[in-house]
Every structure is written in C-alpha cells, then in structure tokens.
Amino acid sequence: MRGNVNGLIVVNQVGYAVKDKKLAMFKGKGGIFQVVNDHNQVVFEGETGIAGFDEASGEYVALGDFSSVTTIGNYQILFNDSYSSTFSISEKPYLDLHTGLLKAFYFLRCGMDLDESYAGPWNHKACHTAKGIVYNEPHRVRDSSGGWHDAGDYGKYTVAAAKALADLLLAYELFPAAFDRQIPIPESDGNIPDILHECRYELEWLFKMQDELTGRVFHKLTTLNFPPLKTMPEEDRANLYFSPISATATGSFTAIMALASRIYQPFDQEFSKRCIESATIAWKWLENHEHYPCFKNPEQIKTGEYGDEIDSDERYWAAAELYKTTGDEIYHKKFKQLLSETELKYELGWADVGGYGTISYLLLNKANTDSHIYDSLLQGLVETAEHFLEISQKNQYCISLTNEDYIWGSNMVLLNHAMILLLASHFVHKINYVECAKAHLHYLLGRNPMNLSYVTGFGEHSVMNPHHRPSVADEVTAPIPGFVSGGPNSGLQDDYVKEHLQGEPPAKCFADHEDSYATNEVTIYWNSPAVFVASYFIQG
C-alpha cells in the first residue's frame, strides 16, 4: 500500500484482465486522475465523467475509464493526493480467486480431520461424528456425519445444500474448462475434476438426510441451540437432531439428486444410479403428498429455520431435472402442470428455486421440449436479464441492486443477478450481459461504496473478521481465505449493527465485525454463485 488510501477511489482490488474495460469509481465531483505503476511512474492520465448521485450509498460518484492501460503489472490510481488500493492487470486475474472460492467448501467440511497439508494454519480435528437423534423419536438414531457446515454455525440444512450444489454443478456443466486445475483437496486424483469430488462430499451427506422408510427428506440437522461464537468445530459436542420432514427439503433433494445423476454418469455409473434412485423415491413421496404443511422449527430448536411456505417451485425444479435426466414424459407432463403454479421462474435462492427448473428446461435439446413453453421461458429469462442491465446502466457502480436489494445476503442477490445475466448470454449471446455480470464481480471485489473486497483473503482491503466460528476460535489472525461475506443489509438484524449503523444508507450497512451475523456471516450458498460467476471468466 502506498500513499493516502482513504476509500475515495474504489477499484476491483483483485484486478482487471488485460483486454477488459477498466473503470474506477471516484467519490465526489471527480476530475483529473492518474494511474501509477509500482515504480510510482504515471502511465496514464484521464478525466472522470460527470458525477452522479448514488442513492444506495448517499454519495456522488464519478466514473473514470483507464481501459487503455494494458501492460501487465501492479497499479494504483492517484486523485487529489488520494490513492486507490493496489490492483493488478494480468491475462487471467481470477484464477487464484476461483480456486479460493472453491477451496472454501473444503474448509467447511464436517466429520473429518482438516489436515495441515491441505488446510494450513486453519487445520482442525474431525467434528460432529456422533449419530443424530430423530426429533420426537428419541430412540431412533442415524448416521449424521459428513457434508459441509452451512455457514458461520455448524448446522447442515437440506435446502441450503441444494442451492449451493446446483450452482456448482451448473458451473461445471456449462464451463467445464474452468475446472481443469486441481484445488487441491485430499481426493484430487487427476481423473475426476476436484469440483465433483467436493460436491460428492456434500451429496454423500445428503443421502443420510433421506428417510429410508418413506423416501421423504429431513429438513435439517443441528443441535438445539447455536454454540458460543468462540467454539471450534470439534468442541461442539451437543446432541444433533434431525428436524422433521419437509416438502421443500424433499423437493430440493429430488432435484439436486437428479441433476447429480446426470453430471456424475460419465465418471461413476454406480453413484449416478444411486442418485437417480434416491431422487425417484423422493418424488414418489412428493406425488403422494401434494399438500404438506410448511416446515417450522420445533419449539426446542433455536437454530436457523430455513422456512418456506411455498413448495411448488421445488416441485417444478424437481420435475424439470427428472425429465432432463430420464427423458420420461411423465415428468414432462408434471413440469407443464407445475408451470402455472410457479410464480418466481427466474429466482436462484435457497427458498425460491424456480430459476433452476427454468434453466434445466432451457438446457434441454429444444426438440424434447414444448416449443411454446420453451420460447416463453427463454423470453422471460431475457426480459429478466434486460431488467438487470437497465438498472445497472443507471447505477453509479454499474450493478443491478436497488435500495430494496440490500437485504440479508445482498451479495447473494448480486451474484444471483450475475448468474442470470451469464445464463441469458448463454442462449442469446449478448455481450452486454457478460460485461454487466463482470461489473457485479468488480463490485464484489472492492469496487463498491465500502472500498472493501467481500471475499476473505483476496484484495488489499478485504473482509478480516467474518461471523464464522472457526475463524473466531482458531487464534489465527488471518481469516480462512475464499469466503464470500453476506454484504450490506439495511435490515440491521443483529445487535452490533443496530448499535453502530443506524441511519446509514443501504449500501453502507455493513460491519466487518465477528458479531455482525446479519452483514458479515459466510455461507455455502453465497460462495456457490461466486464460483459460477468466476468460472465463466476463467474458462479457456
């Protein structure tokens, strides 16, 4: 770091590709700026555009274009005696980022030693290896080990797992060349891509969430209460409970197992068969339980609920994946029936999963679809992408978030929008969608009102104090690298931000503090869309 870096100039701190459009944002009126290299030599001088008011941050912001700087190296921007954070220009600036985002899932593994040879200073012993108790059936215990810790706590949740796996497996399906390099992880063998090894670790746990007696799926596996923040995984020894069955968990499970069966078939036919058989059994339960009460936490359980009152979108997604994997017309018929019952057909959340069903259908050979439905769904996808593009073109940070989007996990909203833009570009090949998606990545990596890279370990000024129990308890100063922080949240739902951020504009409702679970937690389904987006920009 050199000079006065005060956040008045914000850049993508990880860097820009040589041929990229390169923008920096300047808070205030703007004016003449310079780009300097690491020898403090001026390599470019330019003038910003006219500043516009950014409502989300409450500031005037001007844009400066330095795209003509194409020499590989490290740089800063100088403006009115202030410097930006350091950034690089290189051929492929996101390779290490992509590896870090994917390696983060290894660090969230439950039930095995994280050995120093793979985990470095963040190693720890195996955790949560005891059997879990089926809630309200105290004499019934089940193997509960494995999978990924969901977030900053040690719970494991079916619907969250399905969203994360969907993003990762879609990334592999669409951009396989992005996964040619090893992470590495213990299973790395040079034959099967590491992303599939990592996803299988979670899928093997998901099998354990299916009730072998009925085919239905338990909603979550947690202790009754969250452990104290300063608790290492292996120190959390309270009883684990399988929470009751839910239709949303069963629907998401069905969908992701059908998708996984298709992806793993070239590599392991037995595993692929196991996935589709589990999906088929779960689907039969769904068909026999069309109206099933939504999940509510049992009174004794105080961990994350992941409640969702509507299960039609999970069923819609499941029917699409089963049809795509099996080709059985019975699932096509059910998909068409559920089409009219599913309102949010372009959402990629853990609760609203209709977008995954839509994308699955659009990725079919069009000859195997109802052409009217296909065309209608594609039109809707393009209209959604156009909507995000229109917002971004009016936004001073070139992103599609409105004030209302700065919610819990706003960075997931940001990245889901980028996913939609890239998915739309897959079908209609519009470069504007790709450039807009890249602007969302720039924002995540520091080109934002906080002048902060929201990915731990990446960027000169990145998140240091995530709400993540191992990061708090492990006594290692640096956080585990590669975690995406939740991001600004104007809801202010935790005590720390309630005390410190009252009255702040939405895009500044963020605290890099371990107590701020509402803005600075990490989760598997915030990392997963980041992997998808980064995968697009490193392929080839």
Side-chain angles (χ1 to χ4, degrees):
M1 185 179 294
R2 178 175 57 249
N4 177 27
V5 180
N6 53 18
L8 295 179
I9 313 159
V10 296
V11 295
N12 177 337
Q13 296 173 26
V14 171
Y16 301 83
V18 169
K19 296 179 181 179
D20 270 359
K21 182 177 182 179
K22 305 176 188 72
L23 296 178
M25 279 62 176
F26 299 77
K27 299 179 184 181
K29 294 182 179 180
I32 304 295
F33 69 94
Q34 297 172 320
V35 179
V36 297
N37 63 20
D38 50 10
H39 300 295
N40 211 28
Q41 298 168 324
V42 175
V43 299
F44 175 83
E45 184 169 285
E47 186 171 5
T48 70
I50 298 172
F53 185 69
D54 179 62
E55 187 178 354
S57 65
E59 297 171 329
Y60 279 89
V61 179
L63 278 63
D65 190 327
F66 58 102
S67 301
S68 62
V69 182
T70 58
T71 302
I72 292 172
N74 296 318
Y75 298 91
Q76 286 181 292
I77 293 175
L78 172 62
F79 173 69
N80 288 350
D81 297 322
S82 294
Y83 283 84
S84 72
S85 297
T86 302
F87 60 91
S88 71
I89 293 176
S90 62
E91 291 289 347
K92 293 190 175 183
Y94 308 124
L95 285 175
D96 289 344
L97 171 74
H98 183 260
T99 299
L101 291 168
L102 191 52
K103 180 68 174 281
F105 291 90
Y106 166 78
F107 286 111
L108 288 167
R109 286 190 186 190
C110 181
M112 66 172 286
D113 289 352
L114 298 193
D115 189 77
E116 186 176 0
S117 59
Y118 294 100
W122 303 286
N123 64 89
H124 65 76
K125 295 296 183 183
C127 59
H128 305 99
T129 55
K131 289 187 175 182
I133 303 164
V134 177
Y135 190 82
N136 278 341
E137 299 181 56
H139 300 297
R140 186 180 174 201
V141 295
R142 303 168 54 84
D143 182 4
S144 66
S145 62
W148 301 320
H149 297 141
D150 173 66
D153 61 280
Y154 298 129
K156 295 181 283 191
Y157 306 83
T158 300
V159 294
K163 188 271 193 283
L165 285 165
D167 295 339
L168 297 177
L169 294 177
L170 267 176
Y172 175 73
E173 186 172 27
L174 293 177
F175 319 126
F179 300 96
D180 288 344
R181 298 173 305 124
Q182 291 188 357
I183 299 176
I185 51 179
E187 297 84 357
S188 297
D189 58 11
N191 297 315
I192 298 175
D194 279 354
I195 188 174
L196 299 188
H197 285 305
E198 192 58 63
C199 287
R200 183 164 179 168
Y201 194 82
E202 180 79 337
L203 289 162
E204 292 283 5
W205 168 76
L206 270 182
F207 285 131
K208 300 174 184 179
M209 296 300 285
Q210 185 172 39
D211 180 8
E212 66 279 0
L213 302 177
T214 62
R216 58 190 183 169
V217 178
F218 294 102
H219 193 79
K220 66 179 197 175
L221 176 72
T222 70
T223 52
L224 295 179
N225 299 284
F226 291 123
L229 188 55
K230 197 170 185 178
T231 304
M232 286 296 288
E234 61 269 35
E235 296 168 355
D236 181 30
R237 300 186 182 92
N239 287 335
L240 290 163
Y241 289 86
F242 287 88
S243 284
I245 300 299
S246 76
T248 52
T250 305
S252 291
F253 175 95
T254 304
I256 202 61
M257 285 298 173
L259 193 165
S261 176
R262 188 168 67 246
I263 297 297
Y264 284 87
Q265 199 278 334
F267 300 99
D268 189 332
Q269 292 185 12
E270 281 300 313
F271 183 73
S272 171
K273 180 181 178 183
R274 185 181 172 199
C275 288
I276 196 61
E277 287 176 347
S278 295
T280 304
I281 295 169
W283 177 259
K284 288 178 180 177
W285 183 88
L286 287 170
E287 287 283 79
N288 292 326
H289 297 82
E290 290 193 1
H291 304 287
Y292 199 78
C294 64
F295 178 82
K296 295 290 184 185
N297 261 345
E299 186 176 352
Q300 284 183 288
I301 297 181
K302 308 300 181 184
T303 51
E305 185 170 78
Y306 285 92
D308 181 1
E309 296 183 359
I310 300 172
D311 61 33
S312 57
D313 52 323
E314 283 81 8
R315 294 169 187 264
Y316 169 82
W317 179 25
E321 296 293 0
L322 283 166
Y323 177 53
K324 186 174 181 185
T325 298
T326 68
D328 192 328
E329 191 62 29
I330 193 171
Y331 299 121
H332 195 193
K333 182 179 179 180
K334 189 65 178 181
F335 174 82
K336 289 186 280 188
Q337 175 190 326
L338 288 161
L339 187 70
S340 62
E341 301 174 20
T342 305
E343 293 185 7
L344 301 174
K345 297 184 180 68
Y346 306 97
E347 291 289 329
L348 302 174
W350 59 261
D352 301 319
V353 297
Y356 295 108
T358 296
I359 296 304
S360 179
Y361 196 74
L362 290 175
L363 287 172
L364 282 161
N365 185 323
K366 192 175 180 181
N368 297 327
T369 69
D370 179 308
S371 61
H372 174 73
I373 290 174
Y374 181 97
D375 291 342
S376 176
L377 288 175
L378 180 56
Q379 180 183 352
L381 177 65
V382 171
E383 288 174 354
T384 303
E386 285 289 334
H387 176 62
F388 293 156
L389 181 62
E390 182 181 356
I391 295 171
S392 299
Q393 289 171 338
K394 298 175 183 177
N395 184 280
Q396 293 303 118
Y397 286 91
C398 306
I399 60 166
S400 60
L401 297 191
T402 65
N403 284 3
E404 291 71 32
D405 290 322
Y406 288 95
I407 58 173
W408 198 321
S410 64
N411 281 336
M412 183 189 75
V413 180
L414 175 90
L415 293 162
N416 283 353
H417 286 190
M419 280 187 66
I420 289 291
L421 288 158
L422 293 173
L423 288 163
S425 77
H426 176 82
F427 296 103
V428 299
H429 310 294
K430 189 168 180 177
I431 192 62
N432 285 5
Y433 295 165
V434 175
E435 290 303 313
C436 189
K438 188 177 290 183
H440 289 61
L441 186 61
H442 291 323
Y443 177 98
L444 182 76
L445 299 175
R447 208 176 71 183
N448 57 59
M450 298 297 297
N451 184 38
L452 183 71
S453 169
Y454 288 115
V455 182
T456 57
F458 288 88
E460 191 171 61
H461 184 208
S462 60
V463 167
M464 286 294 295
N465 305 291
H467 181 86
H468 174 242
R469 279 165 175 76
S471 294
V472 174
D474 63 11
E475 299 183 357
V476 180
T477 301
I480 295 170
F483 282 143
V484 174
S485 171
N489 172 13
S490 61
L492 303 182
Q493 288 105 334
D494 64 63
D495 290 341
Y496 184 88
V497 294
K498 284 178 183 176
E499 179 181 349
H500 293 89
L501 297 180
Q502 292 292 340
E504 289 289 336
K508 288 196 165 183
C509 288
F510 178 83
D512 184 12
H513 195 282
E514 64 191 38
D515 291 335
S516 184
Y517 52 83
T519 74
N520 202 29
E521 193 166 5
V522 303
T523 83
I524 54 176
Y525 52 85
W526 297 341
N527 259 70
S528 58
V531 170
F532 183 98
V533 174
S535 297
Y536 179 92
F537 293 111
I538 71 161
Q539 60 180 328

mmCIF file of all heavy atoms in Angstrom, residues 306-322:
data_model
loop_
_atom_site.group_PDB
_atom_site.id
_atom_site.type_symbol
_atom_site.label_atom_id
_atom_site.label_comp_id
_atom_site.label_asym_id
_atom_site.label_seq_id
_atom_site.Cartn_x
_atom_site.Cartn_y
_atom_site.Cartn_z
ATOM 1 N N TYR A 306 -34.834 -21.828 7.994
ATOM 2 C CA TYR A 306 -34.972 -22.009 6.552
ATOM 3 C C TYR A 306 -36.416 -22.361 6.197
ATOM 4 O O TYR A 306 -36.694 -23.289 5.434
ATOM 5 C CB TYR A 306 -33.995 -23.069 6.022
ATOM 6 C CG TYR A 306 -32.569 -22.577 5.946
ATOM 7 C CD1 TYR A 306 -31.670 -22.757 7.001
ATOM 8 C CD2 TYR A 306 -32.115 -21.898 4.822
ATOM 9 C CE1 TYR A 306 -30.380 -22.278 6.931
ATOM 10 C CE2 TYR A 306 -30.814 -21.422 4.732
ATOM 11 C CZ TYR A 306 -29.959 -21.609 5.809
ATOM 12 O OH TYR A 306 -28.664 -21.131 5.723
ATOM 13 N N GLY A 307 -37.332 -21.591 6.757
ATOM 14 C CA GLY A 307 -38.740 -21.808 6.495
ATOM 15 C C GLY A 307 -39.139 -21.319 5.113
ATOM 16 O O GLY A 307 -38.553 -20.388 4.562
ATOM 17 N N ASP A 308 -40.159 -21.943 4.550
ATOM 18 C CA ASP A 308 -40.607 -21.606 3.199
ATOM 19 C C ASP A 308 -42.039 -22.124 3.073
ATOM 20 O O ASP A 308 -42.283 -23.324 3.169
ATOM 21 C CB ASP A 308 -39.686 -22.272 2.178
ATOM 22 C CG ASP A 308 -40.054 -21.963 0.734
ATOM 23 O OD1 ASP A 308 -41.017 -21.210 0.513
ATOM 24 O OD2 ASP A 308 -39.379 -22.492 -0.163
ATOM 25 N N GLU A 309 -42.980 -21.231 2.847
ATOM 26 C CA GLU A 309 -44.391 -21.617 2.842
ATOM 27 C C GLU A 309 -44.868 -22.159 1.502
ATOM 28 O O GLU A 309 -45.987 -22.653 1.395
ATOM 29 C CB GLU A 309 -45.252 -20.415 3.248
ATOM 30 C CG GLU A 309 -44.991 -19.948 4.676
ATOM 31 C CD GLU A 309 -45.899 -18.811 5.093
ATOM 32 O OE1 GLU A 309 -46.718 -18.369 4.263
ATOM 33 O OE2 GLU A 309 -45.785 -18.370 6.260
ATOM 34 N N ILE A 310 -44.056 -22.055 0.464
ATOM 35 C CA ILE A 310 -44.469 -22.487 -0.875
ATOM 36 C C ILE A 310 -43.512 -23.564 -1.381
ATOM 37 O O ILE A 310 -42.295 -23.351 -1.404
ATOM 38 C CB ILE A 310 -44.481 -21.287 -1.849
ATOM 39 C CG1 ILE A 310 -45.466 -20.218 -1.364
ATOM 40 C CG2 ILE A 310 -44.834 -21.739 -3.266
ATOM 41 C CD1 ILE A 310 -45.405 -18.927 -2.148
ATOM 42 N N ASP A 311 -44.065 -24.711 -1.787
ATOM 43 C CA ASP A 311 -43.206 -25.791 -2.282
ATOM 44 C C ASP A 311 -43.414 -26.085 -3.768
ATOM 45 O O ASP A 311 -42.800 -27.001 -4.311
ATOM 46 C CB ASP A 311 -43.385 -27.069 -1.459
ATOM 47 C CG ASP A 311 -44.811 -27.616 -1.499
ATOM 48 O OD1 ASP A 311 -45.481 -27.465 -2.528
ATOM 49 O OD2 ASP A 311 -45.244 -28.196 -0.490
ATOM 50 N N SER A 312 -44.245 -25.301 -4.457
ATOM 51 C CA SER A 312 -44.490 -25.559 -5.880
ATOM 52 C C SER A 312 -43.228 -25.352 -6.714
ATOM 53 O O SER A 312 -43.010 -26.048 -7.723
ATOM 54 C CB SER A 312 -45.618 -24.668 -6.406
ATOM 55 O OG SER A 312 -45.330 -23.302 -6.191
ATOM 56 N N ASP A 313 -42.385 -24.397 -6.308
ATOM 57 C CA ASP A 313 -41.168 -24.152 -7.078
ATOM 58 C C ASP A 313 -40.158 -25.285 -6.916
ATOM 59 O O ASP A 313 -39.453 -25.635 -7.866
ATOM 60 C CB ASP A 313 -40.547 -22.798 -6.721
ATOM 61 C CG ASP A 313 -40.325 -22.603 -5.237
ATOM 62 O OD1 ASP A 313 -41.178 -23.053 -4.443
ATOM 63 O OD2 ASP A 313 -39.319 -21.995 -4.845
ATOM 64 N N GLU A 314 -40.091 -25.878 -5.727
ATOM 65 C CA GLU A 314 -39.209 -27.038 -5.535
ATOM 66 C C GLU A 314 -39.697 -28.215 -6.397
ATOM 67 O O GLU A 314 -38.887 -28.943 -6.992
ATOM 68 C CB GLU A 314 -39.159 -27.448 -4.067
ATOM 69 C CG GLU A 314 -38.291 -26.566 -3.184
ATOM 70 C CD GLU A 314 -38.968 -25.278 -2.729
ATOM 71 O OE1 GLU A 314 -40.187 -25.136 -2.973
ATOM 72 O OE2 GLU A 314 -38.292 -24.413 -2.144
ATOM 73 N N ARG A 315 -41.010 -28.412 -6.453
ATOM 74 C CA ARG A 315 -41.572 -29.491 -7.268
ATOM 75 C C ARG A 315 -41.334 -29.230 -8.765
ATOM 76 O O ARG A 315 -41.034 -30.145 -9.533
ATOM 77 C CB ARG A 315 -43.061 -29.632 -6.966
ATOM 78 C CG ARG A 315 -43.359 -30.102 -5.534
ATOM 79 C CD ARG A 315 -44.844 -29.978 -5.197
ATOM 80 N NE ARG A 315 -45.120 -30.270 -3.804
ATOM 81 C CZ ARG A 315 -45.529 -31.452 -3.325
ATOM 82 N NH1 ARG A 315 -45.704 -32.468 -4.174
ATOM 83 N NH2 ARG A 315 -45.760 -31.628 -2.039
ATOM 84 N N TYR A 316 -41.474 -27.981 -9.159
ATOM 85 C CA TYR A 316 -41.223 -27.560 -10.549
ATOM 86 C C TYR A 316 -39.777 -27.861 -10.937
ATOM 87 O O TYR A 316 -39.508 -28.427 -12.016
ATOM 88 C CB TYR A 316 -41.533 -26.068 -10.622
ATOM 89 C CG TYR A 316 -41.129 -25.307 -11.858
ATOM 90 C CD1 TYR A 316 -41.920 -25.322 -13.008
ATOM 91 C CD2 TYR A 316 -39.987 -24.503 -11.859
ATOM 92 C CE1 TYR A 316 -41.574 -24.569 -14.129
ATOM 93 C CE2 TYR A 316 -39.638 -23.744 -12.967
ATOM 94 C CZ TYR A 316 -40.434 -23.787 -14.105
ATOM 95 O OH TYR A 316 -40.097 -23.028 -15.197
ATOM 96 N N TRP A 317 -38.845 -27.498 -10.059
ATOM 97 C CA TRP A 317 -37.435 -27.778 -10.311
ATOM 98 C C TRP A 317 -37.186 -29.283 -10.382
ATOM 99 O O TRP A 317 -36.511 -29.779 -11.293
ATOM 100 C CB TRP A 317 -36.581 -27.122 -9.227
ATOM 101 C CG TRP A 317 -35.102 -27.348 -9.349
ATOM 102 C CD1 TRP A 317 -34.393 -27.634 -10.477
ATOM 103 C CD2 TRP A 317 -34.145 -27.300 -8.279
ATOM 104 N NE1 TRP A 317 -33.044 -27.752 -10.187
ATOM 105 C CE2 TRP A 317 -32.870 -27.556 -8.849
ATOM 106 C CE3 TRP A 317 -34.229 -27.042 -6.913
ATOM 107 C CZ2 TRP A 317 -31.706 -27.577 -8.082
ATOM 108 C CZ3 TRP A 317 -33.068 -27.068 -6.147
ATOM 109 C CH2 TRP A 317 -31.820 -27.337 -6.735
ATOM 110 N N ALA A 318 -37.762 -30.034 -9.442
ATOM 111 C CA ALA A 318 -37.562 -31.477 -9.395
ATOM 112 C C ALA A 318 -38.082 -32.138 -10.671
ATOM 113 O O ALA A 318 -37.422 -33.016 -11.256
ATOM 114 C CB ALA A 318 -38.258 -32.056 -8.168
ATOM 115 N N ALA A 319 -39.264 -31.721 -11.137
ATOM 116 C CA ALA A 319 -39.828 -32.313 -12.354
ATOM 117 C C ALA A 319 -38.930 -32.028 -13.558
ATOM 118 O O ALA A 319 -38.717 -32.907 -14.412
ATOM 119 C CB ALA A 319 -41.235 -31.768 -12.590
ATOM 120 N N ALA A 320 -38.397 -30.803 -13.627
ATOM 121 C CA ALA A 320 -37.520 -30.439 -14.740
ATOM 122 C C ALA A 320 -36.260 -31.300 -14.752
ATOM 123 O O ALA A 320 -35.841 -31.807 -15.812
ATOM 124 C CB ALA A 320 -37.150 -28.964 -14.654
ATOM 125 N N GLU A 321 -35.642 -31.467 -13.593
ATOM 126 C CA GLU A 321 -34.398 -32.242 -13.528
ATOM 127 C C GLU A 321 -34.650 -33.728 -13.804
ATOM 128 O O GLU A 321 -33.850 -34.388 -14.483
ATOM 129 C CB GLU A 321 -33.731 -32.064 -12.164
ATOM 130 C CG GLU A 321 -33.272 -30.640 -11.847
ATOM 131 C CD GLU A 321 -32.126 -30.142 -12.716
ATOM 132 O OE1 GLU A 321 -31.645 -30.893 -13.593
ATOM 133 O OE2 GLU A 321 -31.721 -28.979 -12.524
ATOM 134 N N LEU A 322 -35.760 -34.256 -13.281
ATOM 135 C CA LEU A 322 -36.073 -35.658 -13.537
ATOM 136 C C LEU A 322 -36.337 -35.900 -15.026
ATOM 137 O O LEU A 322 -35.910 -36.905 -15.598
ATOM 138 C CB LEU A 322 -37.282 -36.085 -12.704
ATOM 139 C CG LEU A 322 -37.000 -36.346 -11.221
ATOM 140 C CD1 LEU A 322 -38.299 -36.418 -10.435
ATOM 141 C CD2 LEU A 322 -36.196 -37.641 -11.038
#
